[in-house]
């Protein structure tokens, strides 16, 4: 198995607060790697420290065999790392297609996408975008925006896709469809790291879990093993929670 991403003791502080405290993970190519933990644990900050949104204050990040610690997000994107945000961040006045076109045009190495318009259409079809592709992003609802987020991320042809609570805000009936699309992305050869809270999504998709609690990684292993770890159940879900 090939390691696609490795973090070694990554630290991120905000003033006196250590939001990410020496977190090390190793993600294998082809995995769906879940990151779980309570609100405010540092999950998003950790993702931001990998993807170039933040420069870590300590530690190292290796992606596709090269050190990428502290490289900005535009470089990380062109090196094959794409992400979605906890709250969708489309260009609101542009259409869905134009939003994806931005990524297909600028998110890749020059020449990697021969026909960006065609490719943007293809990506919206791939995520089964449920609206006309010329709908302005500002008139999309949460479900439609999540699909758009995925299409935009995929249009940069990532090797690794980071998803930050993609399923949050969706009705139960919509989760199955979203899970099918995430599996389809994985089957197309893209490795996935996902921050997730919804147990059905975590247990149904993730091969491996890392648990972050007050900035520190407290468990890491195959999903079933981690889910049955009493320390995790207590820290993350409360003593009463029954998995
Ligand atoms: N830009 C920031 N400036 C200051 N504090 C931040 C910033 N981003 C996150 N934090 C703090 O870092 C901690 C971890 O936040 P976050 O990574 O968003 O947690 P999670 O994604 O696990 O809910 C929280 O205490 C949060 O308030
Ligand atoms: Mg978060």
């Amino acid at each position: 198995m090939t390691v696609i991403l490795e973090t070694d003791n990554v630290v991120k502080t905000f003033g006196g607060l250590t939001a990410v405290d020496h977190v090390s993970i190793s993600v294998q190519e082809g995995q769906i790697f879940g990151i779980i933990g309570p609100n405010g644990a540092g999950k998003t900050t950790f993702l931001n420290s990998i993807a170039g949104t933040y420069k870590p204050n300590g530690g190292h990040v290796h992606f596709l065999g090269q050190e990428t610690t502290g490289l900005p997000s535009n470089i990380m994107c062109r090196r094959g790392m794409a992400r979605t945000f906890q709250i969708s961040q489309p260009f609101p006045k542009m259409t869905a297609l134009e939003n994806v076109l931005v990524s297909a045009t600028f998110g890749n190495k020059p020449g990697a996408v021969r026909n960006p318009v065609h490719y943007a259409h293809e990506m919206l079809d791939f995520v089964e975008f449920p609206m006309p592709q010329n709908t302005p992003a500002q008139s999309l609802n949460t479900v439609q925006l999540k699909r758009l987020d995925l299409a935009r991320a995929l249009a940069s042809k990532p090797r690794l896709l980071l998803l930050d609570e993609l399923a949050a805000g969706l009705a139960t009936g919509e989760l199955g469809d979203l899970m099918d699309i995430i599996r389809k992305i994985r089957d197309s050869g893209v490795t996935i790291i996902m921050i997730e809270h919804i147990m059905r999504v975590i247990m149904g998709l993730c091969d491996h879990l890392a648990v972050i609690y007050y900035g520190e990684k407290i468990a890491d292993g195959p999903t079933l093993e981690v889910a049955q770890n009493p320390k995790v159940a207590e820290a993350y879900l409360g003593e009463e929670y029954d998995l």
Side-chain angles (χ1 to χ4, degrees):
M1 283 209 285
T2 318
V3 173
I4 186 164
L5 178 96
E6 195 154 40
T7 71
D8 174 24
N9 284 298
V10 165
V11 175
K12 178 64 193 169
T13 59
F14 298 111
L17 172 80
T18 304
V20 177
D21 196 356
H22 295 88
V23 175
S24 303
I25 61 167
S26 180
V27 180
Q28 311 284 335
E29 202 155 8
Q31 257 179 345
I32 299 184
F33 188 107
I35 298 180
I36 66 172
N39 281 330
K43 304 179 299 296
T44 297
T45 306
F46 179 57
L47 226 58
N48 284 338
S49 307
I50 294 170
T53 314
Y54 297 145
K55 251 185 197 198
N57 300 88
H60 299 276
V61 180
H62 283 85
F63 176 51
L64 289 168
Q66 289 184 315
E67 170 139 29
T68 57
T69 318
L71 289 181
S73 49
N74 58 320
I75 305 279
M76 293 309 293
C77 181
R78 288 197 168 185
R79 288 201 181 190
M81 189 185 288
R83 54 98 51 96
T84 65
F85 291 87
Q86 204 165 336
I87 295 167
S88 294
Q89 322 242 349
F91 299 107
K93 293 197 172 146
M94 290 167 73
T95 67
L97 181 69
E98 287 164 348
N99 267 278
V100 183
L101 192 53
V102 171
S103 170
T105 308
F106 300 109
N108 292 283
K109 293 193 184 95
V113 175
R114 287 229 185 104
N115 185 337
V117 176
H118 177 79
Y119 196 64
H121 280 300
E122 227 177 80
M123 290 303 101
L124 282 164
D125 289 342
F126 185 87
V127 302
E128 294 156 35
F129 188 67
M131 294 288 284
Q133 298 189 353
N134 62 359
T135 311
Q138 62 193 3
S139 28
L140 299 175
N141 67 24
T142 309
V143 183
Q144 296 154 357
L145 280 172
K146 302 273 177 180
R147 302 280 176 108
L148 178 61
D149 285 350
L150 278 178
R152 292 170 78 203
L154 291 175
S156 69
K157 295 195 167 184
R159 297 279 302 277
L160 177 66
L161 176 61
L162 312 178
L163 305 176
D164 195 350
E165 297 198 30
L166 193 70
L170 297 188
T172 317
E174 287 146 6
L175 293 180
D177 288 347
L178 187 76
M179 287 165 72
D180 285 344
I181 292 170
I182 294 173
R183 281 192 199 100
K184 194 163 80 164
I185 295 170
R186 189 262 322 272
D187 293 345
S188 77
V190 179
T191 306
I192 295 170
I193 299 180
M194 58 191 300
I195 296 176
E196 195 43 72
H197 279 300
I198 301 170
M199 234 36 211
R200 178 176 152 208
V201 177
I202 296 165
M203 301 310 286
L205 285 181
C206 299
D207 308 297
H208 194 101
L209 289 182
V211 187
I212 299 188
Y213 190 58
Y214 287 111
E216 289 183 48
K217 189 181 82 175
I218 60 163
D220 184 343
T223 297
L224 276 179
E225 216 172 88
V226 171
Q228 285 162 1
N229 179 337
K231 197 167 81 171
V232 172
E234 193 182 323
Y236 175 46
L237 303 162
E239 284 175 59
E240 301 302 318
Y241 199 93
D242 184 9
L243 284 172

